[in-house]
Amino acid sequence: MLTKDQVLRFYEEGYLIVKQVFQEHDLRMMRDSLENVMRKVSNNPEGFRVRYTQISEKERDSWGVDHVVQPELYEESFNLVLENPKMFSILERLIGKDIRYWGIHALWSPEKVDYDWVWHRDAHLLHSVAGRPLTHVQFNIALNRDECFRVVPGSHLRPLTEEEVLQLDKGISALPGEVVASCEAGDILLMNAWTIHRGSSKAGSNRRTLHCSMQPKDYPFGGNCSPDWMRNESNLNQYSPRLREIMQNIITWDDINPVNPRQLINQIKMFLEDSPNLHYTVDKENLNIY
């Protein structure tokens, strides 16, 4: 599905749009499912990990929710994410056919308060640098037109500039070189978490997007995201074979690799020793990468 030039562009720029991976029949089912998820979240906002632009005792305005495949939010059409042969061939091309679950979330436009997230890097542990295999893939499936993602291409392969550092985790001002990754319904947006980026969506618009994260099955970092609901065999049985397999892969990984903060920091330090574009400090149990 991906050409050699597309793979190279993804490695070099930190993002890539692939056109028309999902067709209208599947998009319609996933749109209906996402609307159902939004109703469930609205009826029980305390029951889920909801993302808000505004939250108070009297009013809430949400723009997404995590882990839509948990039983209380699950809709059968979400199996289409990995059962789509084009989608799976893209993942196989980038990180291999043996993958593990990391997250499938739903994103939508808020109703009243604009969504304007700050410039950030998603995961300090999960970057790719020259000469290393890709350690993860994040991707958005645009169910409607989506122009929310802003990114500085190539910023995953270098230190941040002074201007980027000033904006990191607190600013939304325009950055030199930033682009808007515009997707039509059915397109997918592939992302590297280490690329500096942000999201922006006007209230009342029609964003409907699935945001997914996957890793190679045996990659030595990441993981540790198999909640109790995923470990219930009756829950697993409702998923498609491929989705069930990647969940079982993360359960196996987590059981073999329980979280040990000190050990994790030591592993990451070793991982970073030959990464000249990255710098880190360690203070007691805290690892800071910049």
Side-chain angles (χ1 to χ4, degrees):
M1 179 63 186
L2 290 184
T3 65
K4 183 178 180 180
D5 286 345
Q6 285 177 308
V7 173
L8 181 61
R9 197 183 323 146
F10 180 53
Y11 271 81
E12 292 180 343
E13 297 190 351
Y15 84 103
L16 178 72
I17 295 171
V18 186
K19 307 297 290 184
Q20 294 299 296
V21 175
F22 290 84
Q23 300 304 308
E24 181 58 31
H25 176 265
D26 289 349
L27 292 173
R28 186 166 55 250
M29 289 193 291
M30 288 191 284
R31 281 191 208 107
D32 290 344
S33 293
L34 201 148
E35 296 297 326
N36 289 339
V37 166
M38 293 170 64
R39 282 191 287 271
K40 294 173 187 177
V41 168
S42 179
N43 291 335
N44 182 23
E46 301 294 341
F48 310 106
R49 291 177 57 184
V50 185
R51 308 180 184 198
Y52 292 101
T53 55
Q54 174 179 288
I55 182 169
S56 66
E57 291 184 5
K58 295 183 178 180
E59 197 164 23
R60 299 170 186 259
D61 197 9
S62 64
W63 60 273
V65 66
D66 291 352
H67 299 298
V68 293
V69 291
Q70 63 183 286
E72 296 83 1
L73 293 177
Y74 171 72
E75 298 278 328
E76 187 175 357
S77 76
F78 295 147
N79 287 305
L80 296 172
V81 170
L82 292 176
E83 295 305 319
N84 180 299
K86 292 181 180 179
M87 184 70 253
F88 193 76
S89 73
I90 290 169
L91 293 174
E92 184 176 2
R93 181 78 167 85
L94 293 174
I95 58 175
K97 64 172 62 176
D98 293 325
I99 62 178
R100 67 186 186 222
Y101 176 91
W102 203 9
I104 300 177
H105 314 312
L107 309 175
W108 54 79
S109 48
E111 294 182 359
K112 300 177 181 178
V113 179
D114 291 350
Y115 162 59
D116 250 327
W117 196 237
V118 296
W119 289 104
H120 62 285
R121 285 168 156 172
D122 280 353
H124 287 172
L125 313 185
L126 300 165
H127 60 286
S128 65
V129 295
R132 289 193 180 279
L134 195 66
T135 62
H136 69 290
V137 173
Q138 293 190 10
F139 57 97
N140 282 355
I141 302 170
L143 307 185
N144 293 330
R145 183 173 176 79
D146 190 331
E147 296 182 312
C148 294
F149 189 76
R150 286 153 171 75
V151 59
V152 179
S155 55
H156 61 309
L157 295 178
R158 59 167 173 78
L160 297 183
T161 66
E162 277 189 42
E163 189 170 357
E164 290 166 347
V165 169
L166 288 174
Q167 294 293 318
L168 190 67
D169 295 329
K170 52 183 176 288
I172 61 173
S173 298
L175 287 175
E178 76 167 88
V179 299
V180 176
S182 179
C183 294
E184 301 292 340
D187 296 349
I188 66 161
L189 169 65
L190 298 166
M191 299 169 285
N192 185 305
W194 193 248
T195 310
I196 187 170
H197 64 279
R198 73 182 195 89
S200 178
S201 177
K202 291 294 184 183
S205 58
N206 197 30
R207 185 190 197 192
R208 299 292 185 269
T209 292
L210 290 175
H211 173 65
C212 311
S213 304
M214 306 293 165
Q215 286 187 278
K217 176 182 175 181
D218 296 320
Y219 185 68
F221 299 106
N224 303 118
C225 58
S226 54
D228 290 343
W229 59 261
M230 191 182 293
R231 293 169 173 271
N232 184 316
E233 191 65 29
S234 62
N235 290 337
L236 283 176
N237 288 336
Q238 68 186 318
Y239 303 123
S240 70
R242 188 165 282 156
L243 182 54
R244 184 166 61 247
E245 178 185 356
I246 70 168
M247 288 181 174
Q248 290 170 330
N249 286 344
I250 189 59
I251 291 170
T252 300
W253 163 261
D254 287 355
D255 287 345
I256 296 173
N257 300 277
V259 176
N260 180 328
R262 185 69 252 175
Q263 181 182 22
L264 182 60
I265 287 175
N266 288 335
Q267 289 177 333
I268 297 168
K269 285 170 62 180
M270 293 175 60
F271 178 78
L272 294 175
E273 282 178 354
D274 60 345
S275 299
N277 288 334
L278 299 173
H279 309 275
Y280 64 90
T281 60
V282 178
D283 178 17
K284 295 184 179 178
E285 295 298 315
N286 299 313
L287 174 68
N288 305 298
I289 304 175
Y290 57 95

